[in-house]
Structure formats: C-alpha cells, structure tokens
C-alpha cells in the first residue's frame, strides 16, 4: 500500500486534470460493492425506524416546512412508498445509493489530493469501515442524506481548488439549496468554509460571482420554508435546545470531540486524525489546508451550540481522503523495515475495523437482539432499538379501539404521547383506526383534535395531564415490548378518556412540545 509522494499543487491555478493519478476503479469497487451489499441486506432486515414512520406521515401531509426538518425527506418517503407500498428496502434505497456514492467520492477525493491506487482504496475503506458512516445509509434519515450531500459538495469545492472552474461552485450551491430542504446544518459548513478560506486561502473562493449567485438561489429556494417557520414561531430553531439536552445522555460537551471522532470508526479515526495533521502541516497539501480548519471550526461551533456529535460527519470523507494520502505518502518515504511496520499496523486496523462494522450490522434475528442496558446504549444503537415494537403497539391500540362501544367509535380519536407512536399508528393502523393526533414535535403541527370527539384513546402520556383535560380517565391496556424504546413501546399505558373540560384550541398549544 505504497504510493509515490504527492506532487506539490502550488496554487492549483495551473494544474491539469491529467496530472493526477488514474482512478483505481477496480480497487474502489472492491470496497464499494461489498458495502452496497451490506447496506441492502441491512435495509431489508428490521422494521420501520421511528423517524421513517414520521417521514411517511409527514409525506401524507405535504407542506413547505415542518417543525424539525425540510420537505425533502417526507416527499421522498411518500414517493418511495407509493412506488412500493410497505417495502422497507425501496423506502431506503435513496439512502443506500447516496452512502455508496459517498464511499466512491471519498476515493475520488484522495485522487484529487494526488493519491494513487492504494490511497484511493484506503480512503474508500476508511469511510466504509465506519459503522456510523456506513450503516446510517441503511435507513432513510435526514442525517444519512445530509452527510452524503456534504460529501458531494466538498468534492465539488476541492475540484474547484484544483481547476478554478466556477461552475463547480454553482453546482455546489444548487446542492446546498436541496440540502437546506433536508436540515439546516449546511449553513454552518459554508460559514466555516468561508472563514477558513479567508484565514488560510484560497481567499479567491469567497469572491467568486457564481458562488454568490448560487447563494442567492439558495436563499430564494428556502423562502417558502422560512415563511412556514415564521408563521409557526420558528420551531426548527427551538430544536437546538432540545438537541442540546439530549446530548447530555452521551456525555454532553465534555466528550463531544472524542465521541465525534470515534464515529469515524477504528480505521477512519486514524485517517481522520492523520488527515487533519497532513492538511495542516504538509506543504504538498497547502492549497487544501482550509478544509482542516473548516472541520475544526465546525467542531467548535457544534460544541458551543450543543449540536449532536455527528453534525460534522459530512466533512469526514475529505479529511479521511487526505489521511489516506498521508499514510501512503509517509510509507513511501520510510525505510523498508519501518514501512512494513506501518503497513502491517494499518492493515491490522483495517481488518479489525471491517470486522467490527460487519459485527455491528443488523444481522441478528429479533429474538437474539439484547435489550439496551440503559438510555445511553439505546441512544447509541437507536437505529436498532428504534425499529422494534411498532406492530405490537398498533395491535394493542386496535384491540382497545375495537373494545369501545359503537357510539364511542363513531366519534373517537387517538392521542399519543410521542410523534413516533403517532407515526406508527398513522402508517400501520390507518385502515383500522380513527384519526391520530399528537402534541409531540412535528406531529403537533399537523392538526388539533376536534372538539366533537366524544372518546379519546390516549397512548402513553402523563396521567395527571390527561386528568386535567378529562373528567374520566381509565386504563384500558398496556404495551411493554421486549425491544424498543421506553415510553414509545415499553411501559406504555393506554387510557380511555371522556368528558373533555376545555376546547382543544385552548389546551393544544400548551401541550405541544419538541
């Protein structure tokens, strides 16, 4: 795994495309194809993830904006479910395709840094052997799509540094406009990138007219979503405080950076740290130093604002690629004995990382999946535990609904404590259940329960809150699945409520929460 040292780039202004090493497609395919197979098998293994259910519910209620994300994921979920109703695999194919694209682009970024065949293969393996970076692509989530879009945008910026073709910046801006409809993280990337380029160069980046034209397009495309947010008192901005509180489960700000780096996996973390070093210290990669500074600025920004540990993961591909070039370039300069030691150590780490990633894939049957020991373990493995219990919950609610009298069923609604519960019932029980409402997160903005409902079947929630709104609150069922999340499918009481005390229009705003 030794490549010749990278040649100096200079300013990148006069570099020619044919000066780069050839693209090692067979080497990259040896990583990307097995990764795609793992993703496809993982995507068809377990049931709907809670957020996927929410996207399906939101897709049936199209809008320019939602409380906690843009309209792209709901529309995409609706499209895929229309093409193949009830298919987990088809629903998740866009995330699978984007993740495999990110793996290939990681190798192509190594090529942009003058990395040869081994550097390209190592970069692709570094990305694909991260359980987080790879397996997030087995579900349709905002982060899986957002991370991949960051990788594509970063690749376009890196190519601009080498070619100075301003059309690449316009393309990056157009993708940014799409990403703004996924989640509102990409502005942090551009602000950090602009600050880093002003500090380290190329300062010309922030002066390019097509970049500013692209920025205007991004703003124009985001106006409908901004108007929706303004009409609803900016719930997406309020999510920052909620997310910051959730991060306390994973160590809060104290462990933010170490846990963020650990997301890259064993091999990926080594390449990430090595990539930061070579970008900051190697003269050969001087034109791209601003990328390392960008990642460091993002760490600082998300640390201070209480962001989640994976928010900067979209920058990992470009830094891992630099690290792969750094490893192979260093190996080329070492004496034979030290070279063999370095190659052996990296190979051993690669084998271990690959084995751990395969071990982390959701291949176990449901009856062999161990329940989480605590909230922290559940939060780390949220993709696994967030995919269980929905059918059991739906069956129990249907049973409780069928036990109502015909008169009660004629004017009944379902009220859930969490948006995951509401989304599950909306997807899995909509042919057997009445309208579903929830004050939780984005579901609370969909609709307010009608005042003419004579019976409310409440799923979970605090008994005291229910008794403050109803004269009669009686337990009529219980859901407590072996797997799942506490409060969603575990230790959940079903309540039959009647005798409403106040109009919902007065109570609902106070009940709504993010």
């Amino acid at each position: 795994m030794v490549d010749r040292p990278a040649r100096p780039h200079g300013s990148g202004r006069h570099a020619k495309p044919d000066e780069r090493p050839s693209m090692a497609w067979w080497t990259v395919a040896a990583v990307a194809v097995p990764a795609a197979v793992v993703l496809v098998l993982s995507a068809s293994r377990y049931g709907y993830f809670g957020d996927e259910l929410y996207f399906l519910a939101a897709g049936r209620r199209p809008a320019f904006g939602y409380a906690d994300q843009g309209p792209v994921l709901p529309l995409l979920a609706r499209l895929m479910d229309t093409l193949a109703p009830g298919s987990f695999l088809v629903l998740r194919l866009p995330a699978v395709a984007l993740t495999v694209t990110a793996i290939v682009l990681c190798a192509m970024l190594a090529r942009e840094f003058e990395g040869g065949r081994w550097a390209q293969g190592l970069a692709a393996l570094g990305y694909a052997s991260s359980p987080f970076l790879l397996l997030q692509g087995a579900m349709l989530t905002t982060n899986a799509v957002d991370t991949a879009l960051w990788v594509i945008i970063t690749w376009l910026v890196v190519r601009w540094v080498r070619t100075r073709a301003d059309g690449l910046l316009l393309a990056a801006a157009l993708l940014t406009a799409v990403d703004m409809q996924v989640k509102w993280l990409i502005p942090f990337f551009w602000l950090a990138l602009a600050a880093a380029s002003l500090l380290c160069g190329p300062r010309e980046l922030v002066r390019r007219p097509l970049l500013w034209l692209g920025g205007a397009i991004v703003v124009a495309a985001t106006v409908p979503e901004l108007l929706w947010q303004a009409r609803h008192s900016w719930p997406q901005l309020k999510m920052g405080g909620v997310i910051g509180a959730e991060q306390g489960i994973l160590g809060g700000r104290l462990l933010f950076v170490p846990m963020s780096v650990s997301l890259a996996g064993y091999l990926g973390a080594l390449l990430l740290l090595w990539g930061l070093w070579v970008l900051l210290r190697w003269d050969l990669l001087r034109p791209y130093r601003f990328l390392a500074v960008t990642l460091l600025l993002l760490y600082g920004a998300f640390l201070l604002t209480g962001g989640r540990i994976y928010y900067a993961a979209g920058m990992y591909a470009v830094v891992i690629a630099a690290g792969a070039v750094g490893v192979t370039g260093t190996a080329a300069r070492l004496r034979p004995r030290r070279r063999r030691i370095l190659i052996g150590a990296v190979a051993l780490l690669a084998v271990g990382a690959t084995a751990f990633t395969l071990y982390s894939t959701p291949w176990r049957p449901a009856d062999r999946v161990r329940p989480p020991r605590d909230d922290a373990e559940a939060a780390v493995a949220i993709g696994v535990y967030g995919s269980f219990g929905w059918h059991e919950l739906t069956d129990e609610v249907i049973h409780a609904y069928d036990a109502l009298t015909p008169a009660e069923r004629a004017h009944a609604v379902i009220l859930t404590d969490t948006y995951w519960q509401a989304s599950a019932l909306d997807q899995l029980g909509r042919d057997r259940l009445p309208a579903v409402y929830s004050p939780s997160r984005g579901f609370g903005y969909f609709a307010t329960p009608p005042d003419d409902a004579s019976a409310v079947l409440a799923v979970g929630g605090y008994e005291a809150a229910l008794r403050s709104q109803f004269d009669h609150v009686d337990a009529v069922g219980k859901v407590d699945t072996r797997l799942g999340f506490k409060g969603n499918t575990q230790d959940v009481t079903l309540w039959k409520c009647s005798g409403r005390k106040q109009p919902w229009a007065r109570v609902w705003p106070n009940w709504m929460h993010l």
Side-chain angles (χ1 to χ4, degrees):
M1 52 174 284
V2 178
D3 291 328
R4 57 177 174 76
R7 290 189 294 271
H9 285 67
S11 67
R13 186 185 300 273
H14 302 296
K16 298 179 181 179
D18 58 6
E19 291 180 354
R20 295 171 299 160
S22 59
M23 189 65 198
W25 288 114
W26 286 109
T27 302
V28 175
V31 177
V33 172
V37 172
V38 169
L39 283 174
V40 169
L41 294 177
S42 299
S44 57
R45 187 62 177 169
Y46 297 150
Y48 289 113
F49 178 55
D51 281 354
E52 291 176 321
L53 290 165
Y54 172 59
F55 298 143
L56 288 166
R60 286 188 287 273
R61 300 162 177 84
F64 285 116
Y66 298 90
D68 43 4
Q69 88 281 316
V72 164
L73 265 294
L75 292 176
L76 187 58
R78 177 70 181 272
L79 172 63
M80 304 312 290
D81 194 57
T82 301
L83 293 175
S87 171
F88 306 142
L89 177 60
V90 173
L91 176 70
R92 296 161 176 168
L93 280 181
V96 171
L98 284 170
T99 302
V100 175
T101 299
I103 294 171
V104 174
L105 285 178
C106 191
M108 296 176 70
L109 282 162
R111 185 195 181 205
E112 293 294 328
F113 297 147
E114 301 289 346
R117 176 165 61 100
W118 290 112
Q120 294 171 33
L122 184 60
L125 183 60
Y127 195 98
S129 63
S130 160
F132 173 79
L133 294 175
L134 176 68
L135 296 179
Q136 68 172 348
M139 296 181 296
L140 184 65
T141 64
T142 54
N143 193 62
V145 175
D146 180 63
T147 299
L149 290 177
W150 277 44
V151 174
I152 301 172
I153 291 168
T154 307
W155 174 69
L156 292 169
V157 171
V158 168
R159 282 183 57 82
W160 176 86
V161 173
R162 182 177 59 82
T163 65
R164 293 303 196 267
D166 288 350
L168 295 168
L169 297 180
L170 180 60
L174 295 177
L175 281 175
T176 299
V178 175
D179 201 13
M180 279 294 292
Q181 309 300 315
V182 176
K183 61 195 308 183
W184 284 4
L185 285 183
I186 193 65
F188 285 95
F189 167 83
W190 282 108
L191 289 172
L193 189 78
S197 65
L198 290 174
L199 286 171
C200 308
R203 295 180 177 87
E204 182 185 354
L205 173 65
V206 298
R207 298 195 297 264
R208 305 312 299 162
L210 281 184
L211 180 64
W212 288 98
L213 174 61
I217 294 174
V218 172
V219 172
T222 312
V223 165
E225 186 179 2
L226 293 174
L227 292 175
W228 188 96
Q229 291 287 327
R231 285 196 300 269
H232 295 84
S233 302
W234 301 97
Q236 195 158 161
L237 296 181
K238 296 176 183 177
M239 280 294 299
V242 177
I243 291 169
E246 293 174 350
Q247 280 302 108
I249 298 176
L250 299 178
R253 289 180 169 86
L254 183 63
L255 298 178
F256 179 85
V257 174
M259 294 198 69
S260 295
V261 173
S262 71
L263 291 179
Y266 297 136
L267 177 61
L270 170 69
L271 297 178
L272 186 71
L273 296 175
W274 205 314
L276 282 171
W277 172 258
V278 299
L279 285 170
L280 291 171
R281 302 295 298 172
W282 279 21
D283 288 339
L284 297 177
L285 294 179
R286 174 65 180 81
Y288 305 103
R289 185 168 297 172
F290 72 105
L291 295 168
V293 176
T294 298
L295 178 56
L296 295 176
L297 290 175
L298 286 170
Y299 277 154
F302 294 138
L303 174 64
L304 292 175
T305 58
R308 289 185 171 134
I309 58 175
Y310 55 75
Y311 275 3
M315 281 290 298
Y316 283 7
V318 66
V319 183
I320 285 174
V325 172
V327 168
T328 56
T330 299
R333 297 182 178 93
L334 293 176
R335 294 179 180 179
R337 182 180 179 183
R338 292 184 176 180
R339 180 186 305 163
R340 287 193 293 271
I341 293 174
L342 176 60
I343 292 174
V346 173
L348 184 63
L349 198 58
V351 171
T354 302
F356 182 70
T357 301
L358 292 175
Y359 174 79
S360 302
T361 57
W363 56 269
R364 299 175 186 82
D367 58 1
R368 293 183 58 189
V369 176
R370 178 179 52 80
R373 289 186 292 258
D374 49 41
D375 290 342
E377 183 177 327
V380 171
I382 187 172
V384 173
Y385 298 118
S387 300
F388 287 110
W390 305 123
H391 285 283
E392 294 91 330
L393 173 72
T394 304
D395 290 344
E396 187 64 25
V397 173
I398 290 175
H399 176 74
Y401 172 72
D402 288 343
L404 298 177
T405 66
E408 290 173 331
R409 288 199 301 270
H411 299 283
V413 296
I414 308 294
L415 177 66
T416 74
D417 183 39
T418 74
Y419 74 104
W420 274 10
Q421 293 169 330
S423 301
L425 298 176
D426 192 73
Q427 174 68 18
L428 304 176
R430 64 180 183 272
D431 295 332
R432 299 279 304 277
L433 293 172
V436 180
Y437 301 88
S438 176
S440 173
R441 203 157 285 190
F443 223 97
Y445 292 85
F446 290 162
T448 301
D451 287 333
D452 62 354
S454 58
V456 173
L457 189 59
V459 181
Y462 295 104
E463 182 179 358
L466 294 174
R467 292 193 182 280
S468 70
Q469 173 67 354
F470 298 98
D471 291 326
H472 305 287
V473 178
D474 301 304
V476 293
K478 185 82 171 181
V479 180
D480 196 15
T481 62
R482 189 181 72 87
L483 297 174
F485 269 88
K486 188 175 182 180
N488 276 285
T489 60
Q490 294 179 333
D491 193 23
V492 175
T493 301
L494 306 185
W495 308 91
K496 175 185 172 183
C497 308
S498 60
R500 182 177 41 80
K501 298 177 181 179
Q502 301 182 67
W504 279 114
R506 181 181 303 171
V507 175
W508 197 249
N510 296 326
W511 280 24
M512 287 174 60
H513 60 277
L514 295 171

